[in-house]
Amino acid sequence: RPRVFSGIQPTADSFHLGNYLGAVRHWVALQDTHDAFYCVVDLHAITAGHDPALLRQRTRVAAAQLFAVGLDPERSTLFVQSQVPEHPQLAWVLGCITGFGEASRMTQFKDKSQKQGNERASVGLFTYPVLQAADILLYQANAVPVGEDQRQHLELSRDLAQRFNSLFGATFTVPAPHIVKDTAKITDLQDPTAKMSKSSSSPAGIIDLLEDPARSAKKIRSAVTDTGREIVFDAETKPGVSNLLTIHSALSGRSIDELVAAFAGRGYGDLKKELAEVVTDFVRPIQERTRTYLDDPAQLDKLLAAGAEKARAVASATLRSAYERVGFFPPV
Ligand code: AQP
């Protein structure tokens, strides 16, 4: 079976709909067709400053949500990145074949470092995509399901795999992005031309999976919509309405065309009201299951430790051959 790898950061108290629809939803689907490795990337989560106790708590909440949305520990491997030390061990080597200029061109680094101020942005934030490449390459993943915003990082992972292979001999599978067009980008409810993002959207622009559905309903009611009154899908001229239709369609399973037909002659208010109901019905059971996992943290940690053990079996074999090819001494 083809191998799939993806990761998500534990940097918020909840995933938002962008994370879920752009990435995590596909993780669940792929576990039926792929040998799936999924990771809560806590090493990445410390690149922009953090609180230790909060990080540990958010790592558990992230894992609980992933199990709650349908990741099955029998069918896929879910683990916490810091429990698999091969990730930073490979990242060092990849960092040594990454050009400084090449890393400087990553738009996510440029955006985030600009926001933080260049003096405050960490070296870890700069090398973030190199660690991400190590994550992916350790598992010899063929496919990497991520949102559109991660395309450039994935391109770097491909380049590094090819570069390493040609410098030192065939070692890594060259991964391909698995970006599902329909929901590749969920936008901010208050600024529908920008992506829904925990670090740059205002709270009113984000719908969190674990927030009170009444709060989500309120945000949907005050979502920015477009001029005109017609409910049609056109991401260019009607980004606000199109985003609401995208979310509705993804959660309800009804096609955009079907929704546009159903809302013909009706107003934005009707769409928002119905979307709030769809979101509520969707998140309620997820919230309940997440709570159940969090109520038994010892059991949750056990599931994750088992995942880390499975992950290490694959990661250590890849690291060993990479280190050997680079010319390092054998492990003692
Ligand atoms: N708005 C989005 N639409 C589609 N996909 C999205 N992803 C994130 N936002 C959207 C996808 O979610 C996955 C998890 O990525 P992450 O852990 O790196 O989260 P993130 O990108 O840090 O999430 P944010 O909210 O976008 O955080 P900031 O603001 O810090 O960058 C990835 O596959 C991502 O593509």
Side-chain angles (χ1 to χ4, degrees):
R1 300 220 289 184
R3 180 74 61 73
V4 72
F5 175 90
S6 199
I8 191 156
Q9 295 191 78
T11 40
D13 296 324
S14 168
F15 294 149
H16 56 66
L17 276 184
N19 302 141
Y20 178 72
L21 294 176
V24 171
R25 181 170 72 119
H26 307 299
W27 296 14
V28 178
L30 286 164
Q31 57 184 349
D32 292 325
T33 49
H34 287 65
D35 186 16
F37 286 80
Y38 299 126
C39 185
V40 179
V41 293
D42 55 347
L43 298 177
H44 282 102
I46 65 166
T47 52
H50 75 289
D51 171 86
L54 194 57
L55 174 65
R56 199 168 291 120
Q57 168 62 11
R58 286 177 166 175
T59 300
R60 287 204 181 92
V61 174
Q65 279 176 102
L66 291 171
F67 287 129
V69 298
L71 284 197
D72 173 2
E74 297 293 318
R75 284 183 295 153
S76 52
T77 303
L78 176 65
F79 65 100
V80 175
Q81 189 185 29
S82 62
Q83 291 190 315
V84 181
E86 285 80 1
H87 291 239
Q89 289 178 301
L90 180 61
W92 175 258
V93 172
L94 295 179
C96 295
I97 61 165
T98 306
F100 184 80
E102 188 178 28
S104 309
R105 283 193 291 277
M106 296 294 122
T107 56
Q108 183 171 298
F109 173 73
K110 285 199 268 189
D111 291 350
K112 292 193 174 179
S113 59
Q114 208 164 39
K115 258 177 233 146
Q116 290 175 18
N118 272 339
E119 279 305 312
R120 287 190 52 216
S122 70
V123 173
L125 185 67
F126 185 65
T127 56
Y128 182 114
V130 176
L131 178 58
Q132 192 172 347
D135 297 343
I136 296 164
L137 301 187
L138 275 176
Y139 299 92
Q140 309 286 8
N142 314 91
V144 184
V146 287
E148 187 65 48
D149 58 324
Q150 291 295 322
R151 191 184 279 280
Q152 194 189 26
H153 286 175
L154 209 59
E155 219 27 73
L156 178 70
S157 301
R158 289 169 57 84
D159 290 346
L160 292 178
Q162 277 158 347
R163 194 171 305 156
F164 187 100
N165 289 349
S166 67
L167 284 169
F168 303 113
T171 308
F172 298 118
T173 303
V174 179
H178 178 93
I179 294 172
V180 182
K181 277 275 155 248
D182 302 348
T183 52
K185 186 170 164 194
I186 301 298
T187 62
D188 184 327
L189 296 185
Q190 288 299 315
D191 176 8
T193 56
K195 79 162 188 170
M196 184 180 285
S197 150
K198 62 182 166 263
S199 61
S200 55
S201 300
S202 68
I206 303 183
I207 295 184
D208 278 334
L209 282 189
L210 299 184
E211 75 187 4
D212 178 359
R215 192 172 143 85
S216 307
K218 206 168 147 205
K219 294 180 187 177
I220 293 167
R221 270 200 303 278
S222 39
V224 168
T225 36
D226 317 291
T227 50
R229 266 178 304 167
E230 227 189 329
I231 295 177
V232 286
F233 187 92
D234 184 341
E236 290 296 311
T237 60
K238 289 200 160 223
V241 171
S242 301
N243 191 39
L244 299 181
L245 285 169
T246 299
I247 297 172
H248 189 316
S249 168
L251 296 182
S252 66
R254 294 166 67 190
S255 73
I256 300 270
D257 287 346
E258 190 187 331
L259 292 173
V260 168
F263 281 103
R266 295 163 69 193
Y268 293 160
D270 287 348
L271 172 62
K272 289 175 166 180
K273 187 160 173 278
E274 191 173 299
L275 178 59
E277 286 163 11
V278 166
V279 168
T280 303
D281 290 347
F282 182 78
V283 299
R284 278 240 161 84
I286 292 176
Q287 295 185 355
E288 242 162 69
R289 287 196 293 271
T290 303
R291 260 195 302 274
T292 309
Y293 281 105
L294 291 174
D295 281 346
D296 191 352
Q299 173 60 19
L300 181 62
D301 291 3
K302 232 162 88 184
L303 281 174
L304 292 169
E309 219 172 295
K310 280 204 285 178
R312 280 201 86 175
V314 177
S316 62
T318 309
L319 184 77
R320 205 174 313 124
S321 62
Y323 268 29
E324 209 237 300
R325 292 203 169 110
V326 165
F328 291 156
F329 262 37
V332 283

